[in-house]
């Protein structure tokens, strides 16, 4: 399902099931899938395709199916089980957070830290 993007799918799985319980309840799964930015109607179709036996939750495999269906839609295709083997980019699930800071900000905060007279690199 994930093809060459297995690492991306694994990382997404860890976000929604950090304990690797292989059980993602419907509320948590739905909230996670909403990060895709797709419409409620499209996500409803994706859920139905990902949970064809109406279990009411997702396991790792069915989450991967949902993620691949999201990726298909994000790449201009219809959500279709027949297209799960297509090699397309991994799904985009919300905006990634950029934690980097500029060199000038780094220097400013470093100088500020030093004004606090740290001991062994720590502030008492």
């Amino acid at each position: 399902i994930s093809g060459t993007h297995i690492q991306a799918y694994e990382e997404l799985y860890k976000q929604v099931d950090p304990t690797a319980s292989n059980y993602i309840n419907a509320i948590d799964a739905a909230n996670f899938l909403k990060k895709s930015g797709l419409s409620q109607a499209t996500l409803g179709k994706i859920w139905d395709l990902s949970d064809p036996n109406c279990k009411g939750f997702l396991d790792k495999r069915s989450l991967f199916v949902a993620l691949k269906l999201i990726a298909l839609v994000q790449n201009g295709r219809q959500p279709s089980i027949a297209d799960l083997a297509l090699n397309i980019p991994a799904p985009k699930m919300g905006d990634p957070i950029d934690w980097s800071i500029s060199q000038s900000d780094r220097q400013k905060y470093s100088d500020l830290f030093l004004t606090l007279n740290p001991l062994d690199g720590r502030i008492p």
Side-chain angles (χ1 to χ4, degrees), residues 2-115:
S2 59
T4 59
H5 305 289
I6 185 67
Q7 189 62 37
Y9 280 71
E10 289 288 344
E11 289 299 319
L12 292 169
Y13 172 67
K14 287 177 189 174
Q15 288 179 32
V16 72
D17 188 12
T19 63
S21 67
N22 202 31
Y23 177 90
I24 307 158
N25 70 50
I27 300 278
D28 291 340
N31 287 333
F32 183 73
L33 299 178
K34 286 178 185 176
K35 292 180 178 183
S36 68
L38 300 181
S39 73
Q40 194 72 21
T42 300
L43 289 173
K45 290 177 191 173
I46 288 171
W47 182 274
D48 291 343
L49 292 169
S50 302
D51 182 24
N53 297 323
C54 301
K55 297 181 294 186
F57 66 92
L58 298 180
D59 57 20
K60 185 176 184 177
R61 184 184 186 291
S62 56
L63 177 69
F64 276 32
V65 169
L67 292 171
K68 183 65 171 261
L69 295 171
I70 286 170
L72 287 168
V73 173
Q74 289 175 337
N75 285 277
R77 303 185 69 93
Q78 291 297 312
S80 168
I81 296 296
D83 290 340
L84 288 179
L86 290 178
N87 187 18
I88 58 170
K92 296 177 188 90
M93 302 300 287
D95 294 326
I97 299 172
D98 181 6
W99 293 98
S100 62
I101 61 172
S102 69
Q103 187 60 35
S104 62
D105 279 347
R106 181 178 174 84
Q107 187 61 51
K108 178 175 70 174
Y109 295 125
S110 180
D111 292 343
L112 180 61
F113 178 77
L114 292 175
T115 66

